[in-house]
Amino acid sequence: MAKLTLDDLKKIKEKQKATFALREGGNRAKITVHMGTCGIAAGARDIMAALMDEIARAKVEDVITTTSGCAGLCAREPMVTVEILNAPPVKYGDLTDEKIRDIFREHILGGKPVEKYALVIGSETTY
Amino acid sequence: MEKYRANLLLCAGTGCVASGTQEVKEALKEELKKRDLEDEIKLVLTGCNGFCAEGPVMLVYPEEIFYQKLTVEDIPKLVEEHFLKGRPYEKLMFREPEKRAAIPLMNDIPFFKYQVLRVLRNKGMIDPDSLDEYIARDGYMAAAKALTGMTSEEIIKTIKDSGLRGRGGAGFPTGLKWEFASKSQADQKYMLCNGDEGDPGAFMDRSVMEADPHSVIEGMVIGAKAIGATKGVIYVRAEYPLAVQRLQKAIEDCREAGLLGENILDSGFSFDVEIYLGAGAFVCGEETALMRSIEGKRGMPRPRPPFPAHKGLWDKPSVLNNVETLAQIAPTILNGSEWYRTLGTEKSPGTKVFALTGDIRNVGLVEVPMGTPLKRIIYDIGGGIKKKKKKFKSVQMGGPSGGCIPESLLDIPVTYEDIVKTGAIMGSGGMVVMDEDTCMVSTSKFFLEFTADESCGKCTPCRVGTRVMLDMLTDITEGKGKEGDIETLEDLSRDIIATSLCGLGQTAPNPVLSTIRYFREEYESHIRDHWCKTGICSHLCSFHISEELCKGCQACLKACPQQAIIGEKKKAHRIIQELCIQCRSCYDTCKFGSIKIGPPGKKDLPAPVSKAEDK
Ligand SMILES: Cc1cc2nc3c(=O)[nH]c(=O)nc-3n(C[C@H](O)[C@H](O)[C@H](O)COP(=O)(O)O)c2cc1C
């Protein structure tokens, strides 16, 4: 990467905002696996592996997975946040290999949040 | 928030932003200004409310009126109707959709509802390994502003005016510390970050370093410019491998992008950072010991003055800031000191991150505005005590330097000033919640064991004093306590506090003093009656089964490792005292609360000889 200037920063910001918003990135869904020490200790790596496996099997290309830090509710790890285009983010907790596969099929492919595993809809206030 | 007549909470979740939150925000700002309502009505951007399909949405407090599908064109009319004429603008009012998924919204769940994220602004949102994602959320914009458009004095003034106080424990004003160092003349200065986090039960700094490493680096870059440092060190304990790995990646990415190194962002300013791994000694979190440790020497504190702002690392002027302190610098530079003060109290502005652990339901990391009552953090956000039938007993704040706060004081707001009045300290943010099954004498002994062990041994009051106190506490928990011990402990505490060299010794007696202050009768019961009523001190209790309450379910009988419990199904069981080792297994197993804790040696039932002989 070449040395950044202020203008470059602004450009990266705009470009990345688009990927965040899913819409312009051409993606339909984004799954964030929370991988702080707490998440990893509770089995987040297995959740990620199961997701990769499901994505490969379903041969979908408009679903992205990404990792992130602790979501704050360490007691309910492993956790993931699922964002589908034009819908609010949904956080799931206490996940297992089986549950994440259900979520993948019903929510990510089917578009319907899995109520029994979901913790909350929305995101926190940053201020 | 009280100052304003109304608060407008405009949703800035990704969904709403995509449908025009930014434009609506600008229009609202302009309209409020035009109508001279700026000082009466506050506009706040919030996280996702879960109504993306109706976005952008806005909630108006105190009326709690919800507006949906806002457009720039609607704004003048809305402001006129609602805020001048005082009647809600019906046209845009939210109507409950026919069918809503049965998943709760953020606002339905106290854990999320009462939090406001500043330090943790990127928590769980960005990939910590991605510099670009950090930049997308305003990352390094503050550094750019500080390096290219602000003087050192301006940066320091902003931080001073914000009232930001160091989050490492003592709450020292950050701007002031920077000012001292900026005024020191030297050919080399250092900007340091304290990621040692040694308090048992604390994990705030780890989480910040893991989830958002760039926020710490950006804070250091700005601090470095303010004090004139060209080198920086992040001191992290080696037990935090993931934090180290992510910080390392972040530093490398920054170097490659020119955000660290020579001539950052073409500003002419140069600064670089490296990581130093600590070996995990608690005392190395103390600033002078930390600097020695970086120099490769044994981590031991030295008397101050000279303060590190004049003579710090390698005897050069240095500033050491905590991880959480540094993570707040960037947004404060970007938004200004006024913004910083919109949350929190006059003397303790801003937010504080707490690591909630212990006997609490929602173990986790939370961020709340300063001044939030303890009760709200423990009961609403934390969800209260984990075990259903157990009552709250105390919350420990400030780790080994802090104290235990009893239930009667839970209404106090969390601010530096208010917490100190209780005998605890704000500390770095560890909050260990304890239920009624906790023995407070054992708790204070636990902390003294920790400090006696971690004392570096340099000064006598700390080295010998904590050991003497620990021995006395051990005696008390073993039934060897004497009349007058409590007074001696108090006396010793005062001496150790007054004469120790560093913060470790100066605060080590706090857990003992605060438990004596609020739970004196427990000490007395241990000393006089040799009775630990919680049954934690195994020498000072005996266990009994209440005949009335026992359902004869045999659960305790199966749990007992000594086979000391006998009884037939559906008939009251009993414990053979000679075999009982006071392990509490039965107590923890019984669902009916039928196991009672009595003073030691109490024999309510003769042991049936035959059964005992079978063994
Ligand atoms: C025994 C002892 C341990 C400490 N441990 C830490 C620690 O783990 N993390 C920390 O940030 N500050 C710790 N401190 C406080 C530091 O000495 C220093 O005040 C702080 O890092 C300054 O940063 P701040 O102004 O941003 O709060 C400790 C102090 C003492 C006396």
Side-chain angles (χ1 to χ4, degrees), chain B residues 166-172 174 177 194 196-199 205 282-283 285-287 320-323 325 502-504:
Chain B
R167 300 296 195 244
F172 190 81
T174 304
K177 197 189 264 193
N194 193 341
D196 192 53
E197 195 165 53
D199 292 8
D205 296 347
F282 179 59
V283 76
E286 193 278 339
E287 57 180 10
L320 174 69
N321 277 126
N322 168 262
V323 167
T325 313
C502 84
L504 196 153

Side-chain angles (χ1 to χ4, degrees), chain B residues 337-370:
Chain B
S337 51
E338 290 279 305
W339 166 83
Y340 191 80
R341 287 187 167 278
T342 52
L343 292 177
T345 65
E346 173 66 28
K347 284 189 184 146
S348 301
T351 58
K352 179 78 195 85
V353 180
F354 290 103
L356 277 178
T357 57
D359 301 324
I360 194 157
R361 183 164 305 144
N362 297 329
V363 167
L365 197 70
V366 305
E367 180 169 359
V368 292
M370 290 270 194

Side-chain angles (χ1 to χ4, degrees), chain B residues 79 94 131 151 158 167 178 193 220 242 321 350 416 453 472 484 492 509 527:
Chain B
V79 170
F94 176 73
L131 171 59
T151 62
T158 304
R167 300 296 195 244
W178 289 11
C193 167
M220 289 180 79
L242 192 59
N321 277 126
Y416 287 97
D453 209 37
M472 289 182 72
L492 265 173
I527 293 169

Side-chain angles (χ1 to χ4, degrees), chain B residues 514-586:
Chain B
S514 79
T515 46
I516 291 179
R517 179 162 158 194
Y518 299 117
F519 303 95
R520 195 182 184 99
E521 74 289 348
E522 264 186 62
Y523 280 83
E524 287 166 353
S525 157
H526 277 69
I527 293 169
R528 290 189 194 141
D529 312 328
H530 301 287
W531 185 10
C532 172
K533 288 180 180 161
T534 56
I536 296 288
C537 303
S538 58
H539 296 277
L540 306 185
C541 60
S542 60
F543 290 80
H544 309 273
I545 298 174
S546 152
E547 267 183 59
E548 294 96 79
L549 295 175
C550 180
K551 301 264 187 282
C553 73
Q554 299 206 311
C556 59
L557 192 147
K558 290 182 192 123
C560 179
Q562 284 290 97
Q563 285 153 323
I565 301 180
I566 53 168
E568 288 166 37
K569 258 199 177 133
K570 300 206 173 143
K571 283 191 185 146
H573 301 347
R574 57 197 168 110
I575 299 173
I576 303 165
Q577 296 299 331
E578 282 77 2
L579 294 177
C580 176
I581 53 167
Q582 292 85 35
C583 72
R584 291 171 66 90
S585 299
C586 53

Side-chain angles (χ1 to χ4, degrees), chain B residues 197-226:
Chain B
E197 195 165 53
D199 292 8
F203 51 89
M204 303 76 53
D205 296 347
R206 170 173 64 71
S207 286
V208 172
M209 292 185 284
E210 282 178 6
D212 200 10
H214 285 287
S215 67
V216 180
I217 297 172
E218 187 173 5
M220 289 180 79
V221 171
I222 296 167
K225 157 94 187 203

Side-chain angles (χ1 to χ4, degrees), chain A residues 3-4 13 37 72 123 125 127, chain B residues 48 118 138 210 257 262 365:
Chain A
K3 275 204 161 192
L4 297 182
K13 186 174 156 182
T37 294
S123 65
T125 295
Y127 176 60
Chain B
C48 175
R118 266 185 187 174
D138 285 337
E210 282 178 6
E262 298 289 319
L365 197 70

